Amino acid sequence: MNSLCESSSLSYISTCERSYRTKSLLVSPVTRVRISDVRKTSRRGAGLIIRASATVSSEEKKRMDNNNGKEKGWLQKGIAEFYDESSGLWENIWGDHMHHGFYDPNVTVSISDHRSAQIRMIEETLKFAGLSDDSSNKPKSIVDVGCGIGGSSRYLSKKYGAECKGITLSPIQAERAQALANAQGLGDKVSFQVADALEQPFQDGQFDLVWSMESGEHMPDKAKFVNELVRVASPGATIIIVTWCHRDLLPTEKSLKPQEKQLLDKICDAYYLPAWCSTAEYVELLQSLSMQDIKSDDWSEYVAPFWPAVIRSALTWKGLTSLLRTGWKTIKGAFAMPLMIEGFQKDIIKFAVITCRKPE
């Protein structure tokens, strides 16, 4: 959550709903084709729909691009403001890792375990990706896409002795991340900047570890997001995507059920998310780019204690008073936390881990 209107009876009208109602009036019927044939993609809560370029006129494409640009701008502004508001609160209560923890599902969790669970999430992810502490296999240059206040960047830099660059849409996050790096003596190895993950300010093939911990859910164009991760990866580099997804569709399904879409749309509105996609769609995108050693897994059971713990921390005196000092975007996000629990319990939301290697 690299990642936490005006009344309690808030009507959740998500950016997804607004965008799709507009687009449905502007575009021609869509055709499902192979990922390799795609030029333009459109997303709905139900999954990835591929639009054949031949069916879209130049005038329609211009209107679509205009709408997509407006949606992207609205999302980016909301994301930046949300994290500008909430990052200080999160750090004050949970520390500098702004992501889920990894828990043993058979063990009762204590409050003190949550921060160490976030470190376990990093370590388990690295293990799943096949990265070891072997000096010959250590990454030397890392990009942290959606870096938050730099918890992963600093941890990975210290673990591997690597240089790391983090990007975020939030100026406050970038400033705080750099201050923490400097205070920990990492200012010469770790740097942060405000940048768009869909247009990364880096050269092709610059990094041998591309790390995205819970930022993919914010990306309005998943195909472009994955393309950028691959572009900045060097030959042989490891790419890691940990993100929120909706469940994979059954072979007989064309979309999620209406009640499932409705739940996800409420979460979209609270956390400034575009429409969701599935793990299978991420894998398909990586396959279309000829990535190797593609692996994916559902770690939902291992993150189950996280959201109840966040709610408990918000209901403490420290949590409540801190929350009230933030802003409405953060408060709205707090109200939506039970929706995340509901989504996981109903198997609508999946905590996806996806890794691959760029061919040498």
Side-chain angles (χ1 to χ4, degrees):
M1 295 163 335
N2 284 353
S3 53
L4 260 152
C5 103
E6 300 290 347
S7 72
S8 59
S9 61
L10 166 67
S11 173
Y12 286 96
I13 303 175
S14 72
T15 179
C16 311
E17 294 172 314
R18 286 194 296 269
S19 171
Y20 299 143
R21 276 202 297 268
T22 302
K23 288 178 185 175
S24 66
L25 298 175
L26 295 176
V27 299
S28 58
V30 297
T31 303
R32 288 187 178 271
V33 296
R34 297 187 306 274
I35 282 280
S36 57
D37 296 331
V38 68
R39 287 194 181 180
K40 201 69 174 176
T41 60
S42 171
R43 282 164 183 73
R44 300 177 187 265
L48 187 67
I49 292 177
I50 309 303
R51 187 180 309 278
S53 59
T55 68
V56 182
S57 71
S58 59
E59 185 177 351
E60 287 170 333
K61 183 179 184 300
K62 184 176 180 180
R63 287 198 295 261
M64 287 161 52
D65 289 344
N66 185 49
N67 282 331
N68 289 339
K70 287 180 180 178
E71 179 187 8
K72 179 183 174 184
W74 187 90
L75 280 170
Q76 287 187 339
K77 182 175 184 294
I79 292 165
E81 291 176 350
F82 176 77
Y83 286 112
D84 280 351
E85 274 188 12
S86 63
S87 294
L89 167 65
W90 184 270
E91 182 185 1
N92 188 34
I93 296 176
W94 278 75
D96 60 350
H97 292 280
M98 301 181 69
H99 57 78
H100 284 72
F102 186 97
Y103 303 87
D104 183 338
N106 300 312
V107 175
T108 301
V109 179
S110 66
I111 292 295
S112 61
D113 186 54
H114 293 301
R115 292 194 183 191
S116 59
Q118 291 174 308
I119 300 299
R120 281 199 302 276
M121 175 60 73
I122 296 175
E123 288 293 338
E124 290 294 330
T125 301
L126 294 171
K127 186 189 302 182
F128 182 78
L131 288 173
S132 69
D133 294 336
D134 182 350
S135 59
S136 64
N137 193 36
K138 288 183 179 180
K140 298 179 176 60
S141 58
I142 302 169
V143 62
D144 185 357
V145 180
C147 62
I149 56 173
S152 291
S153 300
R154 291 185 296 275
Y155 184 86
L156 294 170
S157 178
K158 284 187 280 190
K159 179 179 177 68
Y160 294 121
E163 293 187 357
C164 186
K165 296 184 183 297
I167 59 173
T168 172
L169 289 174
S170 166
I172 287 186
Q173 283 189 336
E175 182 179 359
R176 179 59 179 158
Q178 193 65 58
L180 289 170
N182 294 343
Q184 295 173 22
L186 294 170
D188 60 333
K189 282 191 169 291
V190 184
S191 63
F192 302 92
Q193 66 188 98
V194 175
D196 182 358
L198 302 184
E199 298 178 15
Q200 295 184 38
F202 306 121
Q203 297 176 0
D204 294 357
Q206 187 169 338
F207 304 101
D208 48 19
L209 174 57
V210 177
W211 175 271
S212 172
M213 175 64 72
E214 296 188 53
S215 63
E217 54 270 17
H218 282 297
M219 306 301 166
D221 187 334
K222 298 296 192 290
K224 191 170 184 181
F225 170 56
V226 171
N227 269 277
E228 277 294 274
L229 298 182
V230 170
R231 181 185 67 79
V232 301
S234 62
T238 298
I239 299 171
I240 296 175
I241 305 168
V242 181
T243 188
W244 311 352
C245 289
H246 70 60
R247 66 173 178 82
D248 289 343
L249 298 179
L250 299 173
T252 56
E253 292 181 308
K254 292 184 178 180
S255 67
L256 293 175
K257 297 178 177 67
Q259 62 270 29
E260 293 176 323
K261 294 181 188 179
Q262 185 179 37
L263 175 65
L264 295 183
D265 285 347
K266 291 177 181 179
I267 296 170
C268 283
D269 183 63
Y271 297 125
Y272 293 91
L273 308 178
W276 298 56
C277 74
S278 68
T279 306
E281 289 162 352
Y282 270 110
V283 170
E284 198 172 356
L285 286 168
L286 291 167
Q287 289 172 338
S288 75
L289 296 169
S290 302
M291 294 299 101
Q292 298 176 346
D293 302 329
I294 302 171
K295 297 193 300 180
S296 66
D297 203 3
D298 173 17
W299 284 4
S300 299
E301 67 172 320
Y302 299 111
V303 302
F306 177 77
W307 286 98
V310 175
I311 291 175
R312 286 195 299 272
S313 69
L315 294 177
T316 64
W317 177 252
K318 180 180 180 181
L320 286 170
T321 54
S322 299
L323 183 62
L324 293 173
R325 286 196 298 268
T326 56
W328 184 250
K329 287 182 172 64
T330 307
I331 294 170
K332 186 173 71 169
F335 286 149
M337 290 189 289
L339 298 175
M340 290 295 298
I341 296 175
E342 181 182 353
F344 277 116
Q345 289 177 340
K346 292 182 175 179
D347 287 328
I348 302 169
I349 298 175
K350 299 296 183 180
F351 191 86
V353 183
I354 307 148
T355 68
C356 67
R357 185 173 57 83
K358 188 172 180 176
E360 304 220 25

